[in-house]
Amino acid sequence: MTGDGHGGTDGTDALAPDEPDLLRDQFRQLLRYRALIAAGLLIGLLGGALLALAGAHSYSATSEIMVRAATTDPFATGATADKGINIGTERQNALSSTVAATAAAKLREPATRLTHCLNVTNPPNTLVLRFTCSADSARHAADWVNALTAAYLGNREAQTKSVITTMISGYQAQLTPLVKQRNDLLDQIQKATDPQVVGTLVSVQTNLLTRITELNGDISSLRALDTTPGVVIRPGTVPAGPAGPGPALLLGLGGAVGIALGLLAAWVRLVFDPSVRSEAEVVRALDAPVLGTLPRTGWDPAEPLAEGDGRLAEEYRAIAFRISHDKRFAERRRLLVVAPRGVGSAAAGVAVNVSAAFAEMGMEVLLVEADLRDPSLAARLRAAEGARTAFARGPAPGETGWPAGLHVPIDAGESGSFDLVPGRRVRNVARALTSAAATRLFAEADEPGSAVVVLAPPVLGYADALALADRVEGVLVVCDPRAVHRTDLVRVREMVEAAGGGVLGAVLHPPEPEAAGRRFGLAVILSCP
């Protein structure tokens, strides 16, 4: 049984769903596209498996060195030589082609292979360089990373020594003329006899000795520098297994990413899907409650009868009960049953079974088949033997054509019986539906304890239902939510309201089987004797 949570049967007290309800509704709508979610999951698992297979033949080895600057006494108090190191520059130097070429010459491997395998990083706030090399074998990875580390250290030490040599050469170039000048002064002092001249020469000699001493000190300091470029704090070792997070983790990550992609694809499909996705959308489109949802079990439009104690029969009884307690219907008891599109077989079944349920409630029911284009109810329903309802009468004097003629009493089993005004093909459908005879026929519901149920062709297929919308107290829309578009339901509501009527509610049914190619399949609430 359905209908709970859709508001009152008059459609006026339906409350807007709160945010948790909307989230639950949207999640249920996403689950409609299980194929997309499953496809996303499959793609993610395949991607994870491919990454796992690609990483199964890749090994990584890592070494770490602490870079240090050249210094005379690294243990001296306040030594700050290492603060002059630009670790970013050193990282680029480690990645240079010079380092790769030096290591490649030692390993007898192409330099490009070493360049592509190497990655150098620097842990934050440290003078440590971390060398990582990936290769197709564990031994190669360890050998290559150690060779690259040694090549970097050797290259850096060579650069430092080259700078020291250049500086010593510069100082030596300054020292040589000063020594020659001092020797010349010594000769002059020895030969001079004037005390004043000797004093001047001695003063000049003193200045030269001071400068010579400074240059010799600078040269001695440079030669005393410790040029060790760095310390290997962790050498590269042969890795125990392939690189990467492992097959299990990669498959898990791939599955998670795949589900996310599947949900994204389902959401995109949901946004651009024009079909009705939930009962809540039916309510919003029609501005009326869903009075019932026919179950999948036992419902088949190709079957003319349904057991009176089954779930399907109980659903029809619940729908009729809700309609009978609607304030608009209770006043004059006229109901128009239509479908938005299609052949209307489900709408015909709802009209017949609701009429039978009304009869079971003790009402005098008249079912009017206003489908004058392809009528077939009389041929598919079983006429009652002998029993006649209060509606049974002959045509009035002068009445011809539809709806003139005898009413057909229909056997509804233990529910009783109701009268049927069968449809008949006519030349002018609109004139027949709006004729005085049709007006008098609909007025039969004004009798106490009576009800008139009118079955019309689909609203968006023909204008027949709109010609009757202002003659009833409510329109019952019967549709398959998966087959109808939201815009179709909105158009139905707008067209009915423009014709002077109002939508009483909706009845949803499952998809019709492919085998149900017959024009009408009716299910009557019936307990077979």
Side-chain angles (χ1 to χ4, degrees), residues 363-435:
M363 297 183 184
E364 295 289 343
V365 183
L366 179 64
L367 174 59
V368 180
E369 185 182 15
D371 186 351
L372 308 183
R373 302 177 187 276
D374 191 11
S376 64
L377 281 183
R380 303 187 67 83
L381 298 177
R382 184 172 61 188
E385 297 180 359
R388 306 289 289 181
T389 66
F391 289 117
R393 61 177 177 81
E399 287 185 355
T400 59
W402 190 88
L406 293 175
H407 300 179
V408 179
I410 301 300
D411 182 9
E414 294 182 358
S415 298
S417 64
F418 58 89
D419 243 16
L420 169 68
V421 177
R424 185 187 308 171
R425 295 182 182 274
V426 297
R427 180 173 299 178
N428 192 320
V429 175
R431 181 175 298 176
L433 294 176
T434 56
S435 65

Side-chain angles (χ1 to χ4, degrees), residues 34 64 95 110 116 127 132 145 226 231 233-234 254 272 285 288 298 308 324-325 350 398 416 418 436 498 503:
R34 296 182 183 89
E64 292 182 352
L95 291 169
H116 293 157
L127 294 176
T132 302
V145 76
D226 180 7
V231 179
I233 58 179
R234 189 177 75 171
F272 293 98
S324 65
H325 285 76
V350 171
F418 58 89
V503 178

Side-chain angles (χ1 to χ4, degrees), residues 26-194:
Q26 291 177 358
F27 184 73
R28 285 194 294 267
Q29 293 172 21
L30 286 177
L31 292 181
R32 289 178 55 188
Y33 306 104
R34 296 182 183 89
L36 287 175
I37 299 175
L41 175 60
L42 180 61
I43 292 174
L45 291 175
L46 288 176
L50 291 176
L51 289 177
L53 291 175
H57 303 289
S58 178
Y59 297 84
S60 293
T62 301
S63 67
E64 292 182 352
I65 63 172
M66 183 175 65
V67 182
R68 61 189 298 271
T71 180
T72 303
D73 185 3
F75 302 105
T77 303
T80 58
D82 289 343
K83 291 185 177 180
I85 297 175
N86 188 324
I87 197 65
T89 302
E90 295 301 328
R91 177 178 175 274
Q92 294 300 319
N93 185 27
L95 291 169
S96 66
S97 59
T98 302
V99 172
T102 302
K106 179 180 179 181
L107 295 169
R108 297 181 181 178
E109 294 282 352
T112 54
R113 294 187 66 182
L114 299 184
T115 302
H116 293 157
C117 88
L118 180 62
N119 182 35
V120 180
T121 58
N122 166 235
N125 302 320
T126 68
L127 294 176
V128 173
L129 290 180
R130 181 176 296 145
F131 290 67
T132 302
C133 190
S134 300
D136 54 1
S137 73
R139 174 55 62 183
H140 280 166
D143 291 344
W144 292 1
V145 76
N146 288 327
L148 287 165
T149 302
Y152 164 73
L153 292 175
N155 182 65
R156 189 166 187 274
E157 185 174 13
Q159 290 178 352
T160 303
K161 289 182 176 180
S162 176
V163 172
I164 292 174
T165 301
T166 301
M167 293 182 67
I168 290 176
S169 298
Y171 288 146
Q172 193 68 48
Q174 299 177 45
L175 182 60
T176 300
L178 291 178
V179 171
K180 182 179 182 303
Q181 187 177 356
R182 189 200 66 169
N183 293 333
D184 292 342
L185 284 174
L186 286 174
D187 293 338
Q188 292 178 17
I189 291 173
Q190 292 176 358
K191 296 176 179 180
T193 57
D194 187 351

